[in-house]
């Protein structure tokens, strides 16, 4: 393995003309995925301008076999680093007994197995820095936080993007606080999330918001099997296959968890208000066993109305489902961004989403905009009765005014187009360019003076 370069040498590298190597430090990259983090990091790497940036993804192997061509293996002191070429993206998978964690990306409990893996990941990234030759480290959430001190020592700038805060996991919350102080710049994924979590984000005065984007070439009807009668035909085929009656159809797609995604709110809405209503409801996902049992019980009790697809649908199946149903229900209790919303908008499933985080930002409408042409509807997070009322209103509209639905669908696709992966990447490119162009050593310049004890600036020599 090549020796770690000294800071002067690294500065020269950073100033060298040509493409900047940006190391994306993450726990997820397709197909090593748990959720939105994989979607976002993968889309960002693919959309970066290849003439200016070389994305270099580094992640724990987490027990996965790599689907990409293998380029080299480096045996570091405490882990094995395998390099692959995933299209235009260089991917490094790090393995040792902690980083392989039996195929689990986020081992539990977090305050034991989870934090051990997190700490190990950052330490091993620090060990790998010399081999990576990156000019910039981009941390996606704080999983690699343990490398930040070393990066600072080497004069290597760092960007931290908070995709979600983990106040429910104290060791990771600690990692987030430490990272916020040490990273050169910090971003998050929606204005609303930054506002809602001002308790955390106010630690710095310079937090930037870069909304996520999706690959609109993938999230497009053009890639669906041809269907002569378009959306109506796809919907007919879907509900016939599921043995549901022909009527307005809603889908929930996502993780069945207790704290964030709100599948329990939709189950409450169904149980308390929607039984027997003229609409269909499809639950697609898995997770918490008790929630899955509730969804299965709802499907058993309301056999002509509710279906459970009890698995994590791969992206192409999510695309086909969203291209066939009338509405997507997104009842999250909180949502830093909410990629499923953009995917639904792109595929013409009109969203009914809670008014939180990125969902609130994306669905914000001008009060003058006529109801029927709005790209979706919002309700208050956690309000099962409010959700049921919005669903009934929309089901009524779908029956009474199908033209209005078509207009809303066009508005939905137009809204999605504002959230393309390319647009997201252009904003990260501007951020990277500003950091690299500034040629300054990383400093905690954005920290509010009151956020911590005054320290002499100790720049690496
Ligand atoms: O879309 C990617 C994703 C977000 O809201 C999502 C979340 C985790 O909770 O930024 O990260």
């Amino acid at each position: 393995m090549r020796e770690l370069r000294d800071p002067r040498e690294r500065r020269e590298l950073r100033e060298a003309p040509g493409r900047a190597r940006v190391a994306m430090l993450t726990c997820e990259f397709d197909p090593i995925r748990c959720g939105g983090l994989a979607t976002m990091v993968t889309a960002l790497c693919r959309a970066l301008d290849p003439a200016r940036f070389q994305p270099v993804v580094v992640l724990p192997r987490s027990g996965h076999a790599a689907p990409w061509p293998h380029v080299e293996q480096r045996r570091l002191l405490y882990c094995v680093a395998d390099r692959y070429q995933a299209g235009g993206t260089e991917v490094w998978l790090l393995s040792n007994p902690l980083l392989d964690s039996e195929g689990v990306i986020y081992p539990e409990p977090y305050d034991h197995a989870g934090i051990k893996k997190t700490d190990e990941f950052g330490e091993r990234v620090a060990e790998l820095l010399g081999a990576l030759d990156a000019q910039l480290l981009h941390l996606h959430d704080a999983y690699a936080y343990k490398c930040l001190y070393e990066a600072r020592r080497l004069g290597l700038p760092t960007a931290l993007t908070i995709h979600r805060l983990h106040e429910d996991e104290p060791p990771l919350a600690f990692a987030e606080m430490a990272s916020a102080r040490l990273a050169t710049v910090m971003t998050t994924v929606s204005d609303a999330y930054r506002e809602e979590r001002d308790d955390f984000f106010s630690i710095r005065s310079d937090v930037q918001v870069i909304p996520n984007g999706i690959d609109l070439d993938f999230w497009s009807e053009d890639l669906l099997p041809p269907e002569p009668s378009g959306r109506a035909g796809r919907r007919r085929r879907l509900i016939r296959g599921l043995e549901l009656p022909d009527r307005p159809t809603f889908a929930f797609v996502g993780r069945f968890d207790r704290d964030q995604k709100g599948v329990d709110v939709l189950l409450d809405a169904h149980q308390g208000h929607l039984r027997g209503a003229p609409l269909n409801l499809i639950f697609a996902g898995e997770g918490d066993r008790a929630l899955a049992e509730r969804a299965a019980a709802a499907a058993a009790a309301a056999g002509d109305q509710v279906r459970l697809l009890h698995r994590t649908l791969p992206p192409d199946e999510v695309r086909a489902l969203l291209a066939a149903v009338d509405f997507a229900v997104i009842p999250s209790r909180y949502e830093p961004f909410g990629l499923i919303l953009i995917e639904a908008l792109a595929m013409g499933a009109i969203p009914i989403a809670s008014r939180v985080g990125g969902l609130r930002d994306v669905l914000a409408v001008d009060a003058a905009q006529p109801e029927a042409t709005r790209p979706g509807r919002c309700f208050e997070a956690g309000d099962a009765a409010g959700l049921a009322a919005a669903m009934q209103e929309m089901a009524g509209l779908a029956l009474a005014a199908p033209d209005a639905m078509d207009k809303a669908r066009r508005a939905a696709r137009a809204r999605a187009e504002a959230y393309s992966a390319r647009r997201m990447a252009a904003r990260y490119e501007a951020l990277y360019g500003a950091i690299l162009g500034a040629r300054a050593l990383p400093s905690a310049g954005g920290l509010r003076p009151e956020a911590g004890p005054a320290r002499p600036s100790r720049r690496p020599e």
Side-chain angles (χ1 to χ4, degrees), residues 351-376:
I352 298 170
S354 42
R355 197 174 279 111
V356 288
L359 309 177
R360 166 156 76 99
D361 278 1
V362 172
L363 288 179
V365 282
D366 161 3
Q369 193 172 343
E371 286 261 311
T373 61
R374 293 184 180 179

Side-chain angles (χ1 to χ4, degrees), residues 36-37 40 163-164 189 212 260-261 335-339:
L37 190 57
M40 185 279 181
H163 292 271
R164 155 162 132 71
V189 291
N212 287 339
Q260 184 179 0
K261 297 293 177 185
E335 197 64 81
F337 185 78
L339 285 159

Side-chain angles (χ1 to χ4, degrees), residues 283-345:
F283 291 89
E286 60 188 330
D288 182 87
R289 177 137 39 107
L291 288 171
E293 280 168 9
R294 266 193 81 187
D304 64 341
Q305 202 192 21
V306 179
R307 289 289 175 274
L308 168 64
L309 308 178
H310 190 200
R311 61 202 169 84
T312 302
L313 301 189
D316 56 337
E317 283 189 48
V318 173
R319 178 176 62 192
L321 181 63
L322 293 174
V325 295
D326 301 287
F327 304 101
V329 184
I330 310 173
S332 306
R333 287 207 162 72
Y334 68 91
E335 197 64 81
F337 185 78
L339 285 159
I340 187 71
L341 170 60
I342 313 295
E343 294 163 359
L345 289 169

Side-chain angles (χ1 to χ4, degrees), residues 103-139:
V104 178
I105 297 178
Y106 303 109
E108 291 186 342
Y110 204 86
D111 52 11
H112 184 66
I115 190 63
K116 279 196 189 331
K117 181 173 179 184
T118 296
D119 283 349
E120 180 67 8
F121 177 44
E123 302 276 11
R124 301 292 62 86
V125 170
E127 198 187 346
L128 188 69
L129 286 179
L132 284 181
D133 262 0
Q135 280 83 66
L136 175 67
L137 305 183
H138 187 169
L139 284 77

